[in-house]
Amino acid sequence: MSGTIAVLGLGEAGSALARDLVAAGAVVRGYDPAVSAGEGVVATGSEAEAAEGADLVLSVNSASAAVDALEAGLAGLNPGATWADLNTASPGTKRKLAGIAAEHGVPFADIAIMAPVPGRGLRVPMLATGVAAETVAEMLNTFGAAVEVMAGEAGLAAERKLLRSVFFKGMSAAVVEALTAARAAGCEDWLRKIIVDELTAATAPTVDRLVDGSIKHAVRRTSEMAAAAEMLGELDVRADVASAARDQLAHIADTQDCQQS
């Protein structure tokens, strides 16, 4: 296998991808202002230098640096080179990046990393959209990656990832807050078992029950979560999730009142 790939950002994700690409036979040019290039990665001094001679550039730094990285790297791109942004950025940011790339005649792909990279490396599930999605998937999959292509413009992959994050990260936050409160109350093991049992028993109807229950019992559950948030305060535990749930339920209840009036 052959091909030259630039990796911008050599943090946890970028370094793992770069390492696996090198192991698979790719020539990898890396740049990170704060992290040294790993074994087998050609170290460079800037985004533009990393992009020189690359067939594909993978931007794996941060959402806040994504636009600057693209603008800085453009000067080093060869004609026909492709840019793929793997940062966890908003769909709007991805569309902005695609627009900048299009203005310079650079094929662009929005790549969403759909699971943690540690332990998976290049085989982490990825979703690609945008004009260069097929090109990027074909090249990376040749080296052993797991990139799925979804038809549509840049930003759609990011949208899918972040919708998933609303659920997973929201659930994680609820579990952390609940167990912290249970620990303060002296019953962490009891609540942990309840959480495990509920997650283990979950089926398709579970989702319907959660949604329908919130709508049907919004008024009562608003009061319940207000009491829960008050209890967390008494336990000296932050009530971020409990308060958010209270406010969401109150909004649902108010919406129902407006529709009925």
Side-chain angles (χ1 to χ4, degrees), residues 2-233:
S2 62
T4 300
I5 300 176
V7 179
L8 308 182
L10 297 172
E12 186 176 58
S15 62
L17 297 176
R19 179 194 63 232
D20 286 357
L21 285 166
V22 168
V27 175
V28 179
R29 299 172 61 80
Y31 172 70
D32 190 307
V35 181
S36 299
E39 184 177 355
V41 177
V42 179
T44 63
S46 68
E47 292 90 347
E49 185 181 346
E52 290 176 4
D55 303 298
L56 171 63
V57 178
L58 304 180
S59 180
V60 202
N61 28 68
S62 67
S64 61
V67 172
D68 288 343
L70 173 57
E71 292 178 337
L74 286 170
L77 283 177
N78 288 344
T82 300
W83 191 282
D85 188 273
L86 283 69
N87 298 298
T88 303
S90 71
T93 297
K94 296 282 188 162
R95 289 190 290 269
K96 179 178 180 179
L97 290 165
I100 295 171
E103 289 174 2
H104 291 81
V106 176
F108 178 87
D110 164 23
I111 309 292
I113 299 175
M114 303 300 287
V117 175
R120 297 181 177 87
L122 188 60
R123 289 159 186 79
V124 66
M126 291 182 271
L127 181 64
T129 58
V131 295
E134 291 278 2
T135 300
V136 174
E138 182 178 353
M139 185 169 189
L140 290 181
N141 289 348
T142 298
F143 291 105
V147 183
E148 176 187 354
V149 175
M150 184 176 76
E153 66 178 5
L156 292 179
E159 184 176 76
R160 292 293 179 95
K161 175 183 175 67
L162 293 175
L163 286 170
R164 182 176 178 275
S165 296
V166 171
F167 166 63
F168 271 106
K169 272 57 176 187
M171 179 178 65
S172 298
V175 169
V176 169
E177 183 170 295
L179 289 178
T180 301
R183 189 178 311 123
C187 56
E188 181 180 1
D189 291 343
W190 169 79
L191 184 58
R192 183 179 291 271
K193 183 178 185 305
I194 288 177
I195 293 171
V196 171
D197 289 346
E198 288 289 340
L199 292 177
T200 302
T203 59
T206 302
V207 177
D208 295 331
R209 175 170 60 83
L210 293 172
V211 174
D212 296 342
S214 292
I215 295 172
K216 183 177 180 180
H217 305 294
V219 174
R220 175 175 62 77
R221 291 186 180 185
T222 298
S223 298
E224 182 179 339
M225 293 313 298
E230 183 178 353
M231 177 192 70
L232 265 62

